[in-house]
């Protein structure tokens, strides 16, 4: 029996489905070689020989999934909140991302990012880097070193970008992207490359064609942005007159689900037709409520996503969002859904705690495989939280304590983290 086989005792919480949250005080979570064998009130006989790690009185939850975060933007989180998307990109984001051409700067910045992500409750993430390959590889090395599970993407952008942050040509972009993919092969434990066309406005048809070729050659997943802001959506209409809608512009190149694992951030203003294509193609949505508020993009119709049965998880979208905390993303998703309900559509009921927690765990986790729950067969990704500093005079159930955490958590409560049964800290 190896080191990844043990039992965790604690107040164990996880989602069974989007409406069912299990919260069991003083239970036992069995991990065999990095995989969950389930949660029990008493230790089953067959596991009685295993070491028990006692986290009595602490909450134990599945690691959280962040389906959309920009590593190079962590440096300016909380700054530059006075613009909408396109102006924000031009004024703050592109100048900052251009600095990652300098490996010394990249090292300094990515060390801070990797350390923050390691100490957060996030165990799985879809990460954008910049278009620079050496800095992207450095980022992947650091995320691997931190023990996290992640898809990391070198960004592709070859048009409508400033001259200081643009690929030389579509051919050169394709060549460097393919070389980068090869260099990542068998290099990491749980870090994988993901194709990352930044968004339609910055990717020429030629480049999209090359990206599809690389996708097919290496069977890679895809991440990008979709229907985030009004000005962006209008621009895509002008740039792609042949596309029926924004998502169709990705689909025409075979970079929108249909067997290609794809995650699109935002979908704030997707049409019904676009949502139906997302569903048909099995595309995941990264719902990023704080970014949508900070950049004044709007409020995504997350109740509709759920009612239509779309695959949806949460994203921090740092630095559109100011924090990497997926607890905050859960609270923001609930807040935003209430505003949408009260101000825009009384038929779209606000999100419940169960739904927000599901999106942050099992919903988003699905993008990474059997991730985001403690049901048997899932990767043993667990976060141990000591919430004793959040004081209360009355008795609270494990479920109430979890609910409170969504609103009150801060990093200091996160005490231990396990990924695939490996203790990260
Ligand atoms: N669309 C294209 N690039 C970006 C980015 O960096 N952040 C967000 N939020 N949207 C984008
Ligand atoms: Fe983004």
């Amino acid at each position: 029996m190896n080191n990844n086989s043990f039992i965790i005792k604690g107040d164990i919480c996880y989602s069974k489905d989007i409406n069912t949250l299990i919260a069991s005080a003083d239970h036992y979570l069995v991990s065999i070689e990095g995989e969950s064998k389930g949660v029990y009130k008493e230790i089953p006989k067959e596991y009685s020989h295993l070491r028990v790690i006692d986290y009595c009185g602490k909450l134990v939850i599945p690691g959280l999934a962040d389906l959309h975060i920009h590593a190079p933007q962590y440096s300016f989180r909380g700054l530059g909140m006075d613009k909408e998307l396109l102006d924000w990109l031009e004024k703050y984001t592109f100048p900052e991302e251009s600095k990652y051409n300098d490996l010394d700067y990249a090292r300094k910045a990515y060390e801070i990012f990797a350390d923050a992500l390691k100490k957060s409750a996030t165990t799985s993430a879809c990460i954008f880097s910049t278009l620079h390959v050496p800095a992207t590889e450095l980022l992947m090395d650091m995320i691997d070193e931190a023990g996290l599970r992640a898809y990391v993407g070198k960004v592709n952008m070859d048009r409508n970008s400033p001259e200081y942050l643009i690929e030389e040509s579509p051919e050169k972009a394709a060549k460097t992207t393919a070389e980068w993919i090869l260099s990542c092969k068998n290099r990491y434990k749980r870090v994988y490359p993901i194709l990352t066309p930044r968004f339609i406005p910055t990717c020429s048809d030629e480049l999209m064609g090359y990206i599809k070729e690389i996708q097919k050659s290496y069977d890679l997943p895809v991440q990008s942005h979709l229907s985030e802001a009004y000005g962006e959506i209008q621009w895509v209409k002008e740039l792609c007159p042949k596309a029926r809608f924004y998502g169709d512009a990705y689909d025409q190149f075979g970079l929108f689900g249909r067997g290609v694992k794809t995650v699109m951030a935002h979908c704030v203003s997707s049409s019904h037709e676009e949502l139906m294509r997302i569903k048909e193609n099995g595309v995941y949505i990264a719902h990023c409520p704080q970014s949508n508020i900070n950049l004044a993009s709007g409020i995504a119709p997350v109740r509709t996503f759920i009612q239509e049965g779309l695959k949806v998880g949460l994203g921090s979208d740092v630095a559109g969002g100011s924090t990497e905390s997926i607890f905050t993303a859960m609270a923001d998703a609930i807040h935003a859904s209430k505003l949408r309900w009260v101000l825009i559509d009384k038929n779209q009921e606000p999100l419940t705690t169960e739904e927000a927690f599901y999106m942050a765990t099992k919903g988003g986790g699905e993008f990474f495989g059997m991730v985001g729950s403690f049901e048997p067969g899932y990767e043993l990704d667990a976060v141990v939280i000591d919430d004793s500093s959040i004081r209360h005079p009355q008795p609270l159930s494990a479920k109430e304590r979890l609910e409170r955490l969504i609103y009150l958590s801060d990093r200091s409560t996160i005490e231990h983290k396990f990924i695939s049964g490996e203790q990260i800290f």
Side-chain angles (χ1 to χ4, degrees):
M1 224 28 100
N2 71 16
N3 215 12
N4 289 350
S5 300
F6 50 82
I7 294 172
I8 287 177
K9 181 182 187 191
D11 301 337
I12 298 172
C13 308
Y14 62 99
S15 289
K16 240 182 145 85
D17 59 53
I18 192 159
N19 296 312
T20 315
L21 177 57
I22 312 282
S24 310
D26 284 327
H27 270 55
Y28 298 90
L29 165 61
V30 178
S31 166
I32 300 286
E33 304 199 352
E35 193 181 295
S36 171
K37 294 290 174 192
V39 176
Y40 303 90
K41 194 168 176 6
E42 310 282 348
I43 299 173
K45 244 206 211 99
E46 68 211 275
Y47 302 126
S48 58
H49 61 289
L50 291 176
R51 161 173 74 104
V52 177
I53 312 177
D54 192 352
Y55 294 132
C56 199
K58 293 174 186 177
L59 289 165
V60 182
I61 64 169
L64 307 182
D66 186 342
L67 284 189
H68 188 81
I69 184 165
H70 297 260
Q73 298 176 18
Y74 195 70
S75 54
F76 71 101
R77 67 198 183 285
L79 295 171
M81 293 299 183
D82 58 336
K83 296 273 179 241
E84 290 178 51
L85 175 65
L86 299 176
D87 292 336
W88 173 81
L89 287 172
E90 197 176 306
K91 183 168 178 193
Y92 302 109
T93 309
F94 293 158
E96 180 61 22
E97 288 195 11
S98 73
K99 296 182 191 168
Y100 291 75
N101 191 34
D102 171 358
L103 264 188
D104 288 334
Y105 185 79
R107 181 168 289 106
K108 236 192 272 175
Y110 284 156
E111 251 170 35
I112 297 168
F113 171 76
D115 185 52
L117 205 60
K118 178 177 176 172
K119 289 175 179 154
S120 77
T122 298
T123 45
S124 303
C126 288
I127 305 174
F128 281 54
S129 68
T130 61
L131 56 72
H132 313 99
V133 170
T136 301
E137 291 178 355
L138 183 67
L139 172 64
M140 293 172 90
D141 292 349
M142 289 176 177
I143 295 295
D144 184 56
E145 182 65 26
L148 298 165
R149 174 181 299 105
Y151 284 110
V152 178
K154 169 217 166 340
V155 169
N156 286 126
M157 50 199 291
D158 77 325
R159 67 171 178 186
N160 297 317
S161 307
E163 38 93 33
Y164 59 79
L165 187 72
I166 189 166
E167 321 247 24
E168 247 176 70
S169 66
E171 292 78 18
K172 187 79 197 292
K175 188 167 173 287
T176 51
T177 302
E179 285 168 0
W180 160 66
I181 299 293
L182 286 173
S183 85
C184 306
K185 224 175 161 182
N186 303 325
R187 191 159 142 182
Y188 303 116
K189 228 175 354 192
R190 290 184 282 268
V191 178
Y192 311 95
I194 182 166
L195 290 169
T196 306
R198 180 169 209 123
F199 67 156
I200 290 290
T202 61
C203 297
S204 68
D205 287 4
E206 242 187 311
L207 177 59
M208 294 294 275
Y210 283 127
I211 294 175
K212 179 61 192 176
E213 281 177 27
I214 297 171
Q215 190 284 318
K216 272 195 300 201
S217 302
Y218 302 103
D219 190 22
L220 293 168
V222 174
Q223 62 179 353
S224 193
H225 297 91
L226 179 63
S227 297
E228 177 178 7
Y230 183 74
E232 170 211 20
I233 296 166
Q234 293 309 112
W235 198 12
V236 171
K237 274 191 188 143
E238 289 161 27
L239 289 167
C240 310
K242 290 201 203 110
R244 291 186 58 86
F245 44 85
Y246 192 160
D248 191 39
Y250 292 107
D251 206 9
Q252 288 180 349
F253 288 98
L255 297 169
F256 202 66
R258 296 184 199 273
V260 177
K261 189 154 73 170
T262 304
V263 57
M264 289 284 159
H266 307 304
C267 305
V268 171
S269 303
S270 293
S271 62
H272 182 71
E273 197 183 4
E274 183 162 273
L275 291 181
M276 291 306 97
R277 185 77 64 85
I278 287 170
K279 179 173 180 170
E280 194 182 315
N281 290 15
V283 170
Y284 288 78
I285 297 175
H287 175 44
C288 307
Q290 191 180 111
S291 168
N292 298 155
I293 296 166
N294 283 337
L295 299 178
S297 304
I299 306 172
V302 67
R303 172 58 61 210
T304 305
F305 299 165
I306 292 171
Q307 273 170 348
E308 293 292 350
L310 309 185
K311 297 167 187 270
V312 46
L314 295 176
S316 64
D317 194 25
V318 165
S322 338
T323 171
E324 71 280 13
S325 168
I326 295 297
F327 282 119
T328 302
M330 288 185 234
D332 290 339
I334 295 171
H335 290 151
S337 72
K338 287 181 179 169
L339 290 176
R340 190 170 173 105
W341 172 67
V342 73
L343 298 175
I344 300 173
D345 186 351
K346 273 289 188 164
N347 293 315
Q348 297 193 334
E349 298 260 312
L351 289 179
T352 62
T353 304
E354 284 83 354
E355 289 168 329
F357 188 71
Y358 176 87
M359 288 197 292
T361 55
K362 206 174 177 181
E366 192 186 294
F367 191 77
F368 303 86
M370 291 289 281
V371 169
S373 182
F374 290 144
E375 291 163 289
Y378 275 75
E379 297 288 327
L380 199 291
D381 295 354
V383 173
V384 180
I385 294 165
D386 178 1
D387 64 338
S388 59
S389 62
I390 312 175
R391 298 171 64 197
H392 54 98
Q394 80 283 41
L396 289 177
S397 67
K399 189 179 166 205
E400 285 170 323
R401 284 162 52 213
L402 175 65
E403 184 166 354
R404 203 174 56 145
L405 257 194
I406 292 175
Y407 294 92
L408 302 182
S409 82
D410 81 72
R411 188 188 285 164
S412 67
T413 62
I414 301 167
E415 207 172 76
H416 299 288
K417 184 153 150 178
F418 296 80
I419 303 185
S420 291
E422 182 191 344
Q423 185 159 6
I424 305 300
F425 61 83

